[in-house]
Structure formats: structure tokens, C-alpha cells
Amino acid sequence: MNADDAGHPWFPVWGLRLETPRLVLRPAREPEMDSLCRLAVRGIHDPAEMPFEVPWTDVPSPLRERRTFEFILGCWAGITPEGWRLPFAVCVDGAVVGMQDLAASDWQQQRIVQTGSWLGRDYQGSGLGTEMRSAVLHLAFEALGARRAESNAFEDNAASISVSRRLGYVEDGERFVDRRGVSTRQVCLAIEADRWESSPAATMPVTLHGVTDDLLEQLGVEGHTAP
Ligand SMILES: CC(C)(COP(=O)(O)OP(=O)(O)OC[C@H]1O[C@@H](n2cnc3c(N)ncnc32)[C@H](O)[C@@H]1OP(=O)(O)O)[C@@H](O)C(=O)NCCC(=O)NCCS
């Protein structure tokens, strides 16, 4: 067992690590938060566009960095068995290239997860977005026993919608959200556990580290035991 496999003695989610052929996803703690802030300031999208429902990239630096810290620290502080959001730093060869989160509310009743993600602009368009979403879906469906995963994207966010479709999500409605003062259509996409099992993406090798009984207890997972 190496040091990373030892997990965290008191805060099991910090012991999680997800590995795909090109990526390592690890909990965004202080060093990763610093890197994510620097990456976000370099740019995630064309400033004329807004892919995010919460327009945090419109906030000028250095307030944007502080808001990023507040958001991530709030995720860690807010974990309960009923609901959680796990912000992972996405790394290539040790360098942080983006963020992928996995969230649930009313988890024990619904067992539905939502995802959110972004990559620095230099890292977009080469399949990493698909690979990192696939990693957290493995965690959700295979380790946590999720029943369904959902993703909403503004209708002009072709990359996000393509990632969902490529992973087997199907369109499941629409909603309208204020975006810079304009009511804008979002496409709602979802994938159920049984469809995930037959999705080609489910065959991508993903190694999950840190799935322990303590982790399952922290996230309110019942009826599953750690491998
Ligand atoms: C959304 C995002 C994470 C996707 O990651 P990515 O690595 O760029 O996506 P991938 O390379 O895995 O591409 C997946 C699919 O999207 C398509 N795609 C990627 N960028 C695209 C673009 N700008 N326009 C149209 N299609 C695009 C790819 O061709 C691919 O489609 P295919 O499966 O049909 O071949 C990334 O583009 C990003 O960070 N965007 C800005 C932030 C954002 O929109 N976050 C999501 C908010 S809901």
C-alpha cells in the first residue's frame, strides 16, 4: 500500500482517487484549489459566452479566486449522508487541468447524481471531458449505487451536450434559466444505471482508490460494501 492508498483517517472523501488511462481525479484541497484558480484566471471559455448556470467566471480576479475557494471549501464542509458535492481536481501528468464534481441531494431517497465540470481552454477538445465525466460515473454507479445521473447544459453548449450523448445520456426535458438577464433554454440529459452498464463508456478502465466502508458511511450509501 503506498501513502496515497492509506486514505484519510478522519475525512474519508479526501482519500478518494480515480484513475483513467490519461487522468487522475483527486479531491480538490488547498494545493489543487490554488492551481484551479490560476487555471480559471487564464480562461475557461470565450468571455462573450457563459456556459455556467452560476456565472462565476464573470467575477473579476482576485474575487473570482476567493469565490472559488469559498465554493470548494463549502462543498467539503457541507457533506452529509443526505447530500454532498465532491469537487475533484483533474490532473494530467501531475498538472491540474480542470475540475469535475459529482453531487447529490436527498441522496438516500433518490440516489440521483448530478455532475459539473470544466477544463482550462488549452485542454479542451481532446476527449478529456468525456474521460473525467466517465470516471465520476464509475464512482457513482459502481461504488455508490446511484440509480441515475443527470446533466443540464445550455442549448448552445455543444461540447457538454456531446459529452453526455457520447456517454449514453438521453434527452429528458428542458428548463429555462436566467443567463446574463436573458431566459435561456437548458437541455436536461440523464442516464439510468442499467443503460450505463451497457454503455461503451462503462468499459473504459477506471481504478477507484479509497472506496472504504468509512467513505460509504460518510456519503450515506447503504446496502453496498467496500470492495
Ligand atoms: C464541456 C467540457 C468539459 C468538455 O470537455 P472536452 O474535453 O472539451 O470535450 P471532449 O473533447 O471530450 O468532446 C466530447 C464531444 O464534444 C465535442 N466537442 C468538444 N468541443 C466542442 C465544441 N467547442 N463545439 C462542438 N463540439 C465540441 C467533441 O467533438 C466530442 O464529440 P463527439 O463525441 O461527437 O466526437 C469542456 O469543453 C469545457 O470545459 N468547456 C467550458 C466549460 C463548460 O462548458 N462546462 C460545462 C458546463 S455545463
Side-chain angles (χ1 to χ4, degrees), residues 51-52 117-119 124-130 157-160 162-163 166:
F52 300 112
S117 62
W118 57 267
L119 286 163
Q124 295 175 13
S126 57
L128 299 182
T130 308
N157 193 341
S160 175
S162 296
V163 168
R166 192 167 172 179

Side-chain angles (χ1 to χ4, degrees), residues 18-80:
L18 322 182
E19 291 177 6
T20 71
R22 289 183 292 174
L23 304 174
V24 175
L25 278 68
R26 56 178 195 249
R29 295 172 62 181
E30 193 184 346
E32 291 83 11
M33 286 192 265
D34 285 345
S35 303
L36 287 165
C37 285
R38 275 191 283 276
L39 197 59
V41 165
R42 287 213 302 274
I44 298 172
H45 56 83
D46 180 342
E49 296 169 359
M50 176 43 69
F52 300 112
E53 196 168 321
V54 175
W56 62 281
T57 44
D58 276 349
V59 178
S61 178
L63 197 55
R64 188 190 307 179
E65 291 90 316
R66 192 194 306 164
R67 292 279 176 266
T68 302
F69 266 68
E70 288 167 352
F71 169 73
I72 295 174
L73 292 172
C75 293
W76 297 130
I79 293 176
T80 71

Side-chain angles (χ1 to χ4, degrees), residues 20-176:
T20 71
R22 289 183 292 174
L23 304 174
V24 175
L25 278 68
R26 56 178 195 249
R29 295 172 62 181
E30 193 184 346
E32 291 83 11
M33 286 192 265
D34 285 345
S35 303
L36 287 165
C37 285
R38 275 191 283 276
L39 197 59
V41 165
R42 287 213 302 274
I44 298 172
H45 56 83
D46 180 342
E49 296 169 359
M50 176 43 69
F52 300 112
E53 196 168 321
V54 175
W56 62 281
T57 44
D58 276 349
V59 178
S61 178
L63 197 55
R64 188 190 307 179
E65 291 90 316
R66 192 194 306 164
R67 292 279 176 266
T68 302
F69 266 68
E70 288 167 352
F71 169 73
I72 295 174
L73 292 172
C75 293
W76 297 130
I79 293 176
T80 71
E82 287 75 41
W84 31 262
R85 180 183 295 272
L86 310 179
F88 290 100
V90 178
C91 307
V92 175
D93 298 331
V96 173
V97 299
M99 182 162 160
Q100 172 73 59
D101 69 35
L102 179 73
S105 53
D106 195 17
W107 161 252
Q108 290 178 313
Q109 293 301 318
Q110 311 299 334
R111 289 193 296 122
I112 296 174
V113 292
Q114 287 88 27
T115 55
S117 62
W118 57 267
L119 286 163
R121 287 186 92 168
D122 293 346
Y123 305 100
Q124 295 175 13
S126 57
L128 299 182
T130 308
E131 202 164 314
M132 64 207 217
R133 177 105 65 92
S134 185
V136 293
L137 291 180
H138 273 263
L139 174 66
F141 286 126
E142 284 157 34
L144 307 183
R147 195 170 57 74
R148 172 184 166 94
E150 298 175 342
S151 173
N152 299 334
F154 286 112
E155 63 181 350
D156 55 8
N157 193 341
S160 175
I161 293 170
S162 296
V163 168
S164 296
R165 289 198 193 287
R166 192 167 172 179
L167 292 176
Y169 290 62
V170 293
E171 207 167 318
D172 185 43
E174 62 180 5
R175 61 201 282 263
F176 288 82

